[in-house]
């Protein structure tokens, strides 16, 4: 089977050195193996994603000397795909509406915080709405109460035996989707979530090796369950190290990491960026 990797940034800011590492990792693996390297724009968050950031990241990748195979897949162009997948999960009874706000969850949860950054972190959902009767849930929805759709992890896991996946550094791992709790699969403002979209996209694009930072390893556990539920292929995974600054802080947009555009404006050449990211250029 031909190797297929991908780089899947969100256009919510400018790319930094950590992004360059992820992109170069997937690109070099594919090119050395004579495989394919794909580019996907994960822009389901319409409140934070900007066309200007997408244009900038395409420019930065080209400046780095990276090319990709086939058209760019933009998640915002494929909401129907995600709705269809969500409908399949609803049909087998493994999702339920949740009317809790983030504040409600924080107040009610006594569970530890989930692993990972951004939407993967925070208190684990305590299952408050899991026991609502269908009539009560329908009444709340009919009344216009805002809600999200969550995956009933325990119910979904009971449909299968033990699941596992292979990570390049950690080896064969038993899937433990319960570590992230009943994750959100869709919200009122968006018909899908990170977990649902990335799982479906990797299958639809034929990705055979997912290369991404190790802080997303926890997400793989829930995505392995979604693969089983939707009858999707399970790729191999290579969760690489996280790049940090001189103080040991993870490079991230929200931490104001120096962008590739700034480094380029300072006169740095692409080969220097390759070397800074740990590649030979």
């Amino acid at each position: 089977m031909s190797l297929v990797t991908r780089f899947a940034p969100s256009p919510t800011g400018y790319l930094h050195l950590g992004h360059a590492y992820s992109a170069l990792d997937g690109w070099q693996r594919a090119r050395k193996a004579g495989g394919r390297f794909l580019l996907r724009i994960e822009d389901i968050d319409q409140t934070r994603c900007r066309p200007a950031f997408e244009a900038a990241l395409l420019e930065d990748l080209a400046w780095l000397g990276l090319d990709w195979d086939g058209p760019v897949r933009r998640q915002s162009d494929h909401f129907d795909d995600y709705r269809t997948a969500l409908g399949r999960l609803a049909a087998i009874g493994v999702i339920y509406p949740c009317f809790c706000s983030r504040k409600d969850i924080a107040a009610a949860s006594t569970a530890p915080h989930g692993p990972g950054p951004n939407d993967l972190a925070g208190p684990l959902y305590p299952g408050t709405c899991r026991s609502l009767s269908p009539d009560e849930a329908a009444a709340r929805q009919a009344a216009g109460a805002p809600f999200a759709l969550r995956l009933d992890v325990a119910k979904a896991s009971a449909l299968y035996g033990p699941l596992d996946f292979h990570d390049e550094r950690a080896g064969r791992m038993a899937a433990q989707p319960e570590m992230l709790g009943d994750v959100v699969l869709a919200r009122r403002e968006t018909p899908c979530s990170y977990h649902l979209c990335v799982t479906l996209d990797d299958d639809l694009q034929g990705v055979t090796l997912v290369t991404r930072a190790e802080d997303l390893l926890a997400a793989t556990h829930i995505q392995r369950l979604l693969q089983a539920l939707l009858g999707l292929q399970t790729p191999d995974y290579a969760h690489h190290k996280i790049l940090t600054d001189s103080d040991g802080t993870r490079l991230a947009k929200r931490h104001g990491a120096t962008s590739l555009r700034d480094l380029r404006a300072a006169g740095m050449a692409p080969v220097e960026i390759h070397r800074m990211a740990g590649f030979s250029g």
Side-chain angles (χ1 to χ4, degrees), residues 32-72:
K32 288 179 178 179
R36 303 177 66 232
F37 174 70
L38 308 178
L39 177 62
R40 181 167 74 230
I41 304 298
E42 298 194 343
D43 62 345
I44 59 171
D45 187 346
Q46 299 291 283
T47 62
R48 297 173 59 227
C49 295
R50 298 284 185 272
F53 290 139
E54 180 180 331
L57 73 85
L58 294 174
E59 181 181 308
D60 286 341
L61 293 175
W63 175 72
L64 284 173
L66 275 63
D67 59 344
W68 47 90
D69 300 294
V72 175

Side-chain angles (χ1 to χ4, degrees), residues 34-187:
R36 303 177 66 232
F37 174 70
L38 308 178
L39 177 62
R40 181 167 74 230
I41 304 298
E42 298 194 343
D43 62 345
I44 59 171
D45 187 346
Q46 299 291 283
T47 62
R48 297 173 59 227
C49 295
R50 298 284 185 272
F53 290 139
E54 180 180 331
L57 73 85
L58 294 174
E59 181 181 308
D60 286 341
L61 293 175
W63 175 72
L64 284 173
L66 275 63
D67 59 344
W68 47 90
D69 300 294
V72 175
R73 179 179 173 92
R74 292 175 179 81
Q75 289 183 333
S76 60
D77 294 334
H78 299 279
F79 283 137
D80 285 346
D81 290 340
Y82 311 131
R83 291 189 183 97
T84 297
L86 198 64
R88 291 170 61 190
L89 296 174
I92 58 177
V94 294
I95 59 176
Y96 62 90
C98 170
F99 303 91
C100 299
S101 67
R102 289 183 174 87
K103 184 177 180 180
D104 294 334
I105 295 169
S109 178
T110 58
H113 278 45
N118 302 328
D119 62 327
L120 303 185
L124 294 182
Y125 179 63
T128 307
C129 294
R130 191 189 306 124
S131 59
L132 289 178
S133 70
D135 288 344
E136 183 176 357
R140 291 194 186 187
Q141 289 174 288
F147 68 94
L149 293 175
R150 290 185 179 273
L151 177 67
D152 188 329
V153 171
K155 188 174 183 180
S157 297
L159 297 176
Y160 298 91
L163 299 171
D164 61 18
F165 60 90
H166 182 266
D167 177 71
E168 186 176 79
R169 294 168 65 188
R172 184 62 58 180
M173 300 186 69
Q176 302 176 59
E178 66 279 1
M179 73 167 63
L180 290 182
D182 289 359
V183 297
V184 169
L185 296 184
R187 297 187 184 277

Side-chain angles (χ1 to χ4, degrees), residues 6 8 22 42 115-120 165 167 179-180 194-195 198 210-223 237 239-240 242 250:
R6 49 74 162 175
S22 291
E42 298 194 343
N118 302 328
D119 62 327
L120 303 185
F165 60 90
D167 177 71
M179 73 167 63
L180 290 182
Y194 164 75
H195 292 295
V198 73
V210 173
T211 59
R212 58 189 182 189
E214 62 188 356
D215 56 358
L216 286 171
L217 177 59
T220 311
H221 293 266
I222 204 76
Q223 290 162 19
Y237 293 87
H239 291 91
H240 60 70
I242 299 172
R250 173 180 179 268

Side-chain angles (χ1 to χ4, degrees), residues 224-245:
R224 179 65 187 91
L225 178 58
L226 287 172
Q227 289 160 2
L229 292 168
L230 294 169
L232 309 179
Q233 295 294 313
T234 300
D236 286 329
Y237 293 87
H239 291 91
H240 60 70
K241 65 181 181 180
I242 299 172
L243 267 65
T244 60
D245 62 19

